[in-house]
Amino acid sequence: MALPFIVIAVDGGAASGKSSTSRALAARFNLLHVDTGAHYRTVALSLLKRGIDSPEAFEAAENDLLAHLELGTQIDGHEAAMSISGEVPASEAIRNDAVNAVVSRFAAIPAVRKFLFDYQRSQAKVAEENGFAGLIMDGRDIGSVIFPDADLRIFLTADVAARERRRAAEGIGDSIASRDKLDASRKTAPLACPEGATLIDSTFLNLEQVVDKISDMIREKLGQKA
Ligand code: DC
């Protein structure tokens, strides 16, 4: 008997291990992994390229800056990437100081979040149509806003010092505490552990331990749904 299609939401602060955890789970359970942080980063890059470097400049622009952005999905293995006009930016182009400096501020603009909402919801269908056993999506508001009806909702946390060490080990400078503050204090879809989600503190856990913990929850869920 075929297993039921499953949707998993993984939220958490900057460098909480969301993407690495989701990537590993996607490979283990044949899920499509969607990193929504990359969506905000891709939109931020596209705005920066058009000379828009702040929410104020975004509001002051005469044209609807988002209306002409054509979104698509490119799948590589278990990873889905968002394209704009058929192009997926290179990882280095969206994960650098220039984008880190503005992405949280752009992500707080309600029009930007509204623009990505339907696209992000549509990824469940993309996963199903491409033969995956489910969708695992990570971000800040997946279990609260995008898929409040997900089969599993996980919220990852770790203390700031541990997260800064992880980023430093990757050779990336990042203002973790200040991005978290901006993401948690915005009015639209703030970063928060939604009611009913499972909170996992990974300060003293390694990646494998977190992946194993969630794997047990996925197996239990699949058993209940079968
Ligand atoms: O996960 P990340 O650090 O790559 O995300 C980049 C920024 O995008 C983050 O500072 C907040 C924003 N973001 C968001 O507001 N909502 C999401 N679902 C994912 C990311």
Side-chain angles (χ1 to χ4, degrees):
M1 196 180 69
L3 285 169
F5 188 82
I6 192 165
V7 174
I8 303 170
V10 181
D11 291 302
S16 58
K18 304 177 298 289
S19 293
S20 315
T21 303
S22 302
R23 222 176 287 128
L25 288 165
R28 197 174 276 190
F29 291 93
N30 187 31
L31 311 170
L32 181 65
H33 170 224
V34 177
D35 166 4
T36 61
H39 300 169
Y40 287 93
R41 291 174 178 277
T42 301
V43 169
L45 177 67
S46 163
L47 292 171
L48 285 174
K49 277 186 180 163
R50 282 190 288 167
I52 306 294
D53 60 2
S54 69
E56 293 72 26
F58 179 88
E59 300 300 342
E62 281 176 16
N63 300 320
D64 182 348
L65 293 166
L66 304 173
H68 304 294
L69 300 183
E70 209 179 292
L71 304 182
T73 303
Q74 289 182 17
I75 298 175
D76 182 7
H78 291 97
E79 297 297 309
M82 187 180 84
S83 62
I84 292 186
S85 305
E87 275 192 36
V88 174
S91 181
E92 312 80 69
I94 57 169
R95 289 184 183 81
N96 54 41
D97 291 346
V99 173
N100 279 344
V102 295
V103 65
S104 287
R105 298 191 69 215
F106 283 140
I109 302 173
V112 169
R113 306 201 73 81
K114 189 161 174 274
F115 174 69
L116 288 173
F117 179 86
D118 288 339
Y119 172 77
Q120 290 174 348
R121 286 275 311 175
S122 76
Q123 298 307 288
K125 197 158 173 249
V126 169
E128 218 163 354
E129 284 173 355
N130 284 278
F132 290 94
L135 171 75
I136 186 161
M137 181 172 277
D138 78 75
R140 304 291 190 291
D141 63 339
I142 310 309
S144 55
V145 175
I146 307 297
F147 285 111
D149 48 352
D151 295 292
L152 268 183
R153 294 180 302 150
I154 310 290
F155 193 90
L156 288 181
T157 181
D159 73 32
V160 171
R163 292 190 277 144
E164 275 170 354
R165 277 197 301 276
R166 284 178 200 162
R167 275 290 192 263
E170 290 167 0
I172 301 171
D174 196 352
S175 41
I176 286 167
S178 73
R179 280 211 291 135
D180 268 7
K181 200 164 162 216
L182 278 172
D183 295 340
S185 61
R186 69 178 175 227
K187 287 204 185 81
T188 314
L191 168 71
C193 179
E195 213 187 309
T198 302
L199 181 79
I200 299 178
D201 186 335
S202 71
T203 306
F204 301 107
L205 299 176
N206 63 30
L207 177 64
E208 203 185 327
Q209 289 168 317
V210 176
V211 170
D212 284 346
K213 221 178 188 5
I214 303 174
S215 292
D216 290 342
M217 295 168 67
I218 295 176
R219 283 190 205 99
E220 197 186 324
K221 199 52 151 183
L222 287 171
Q224 284 166 7
K225 282 189 93 179

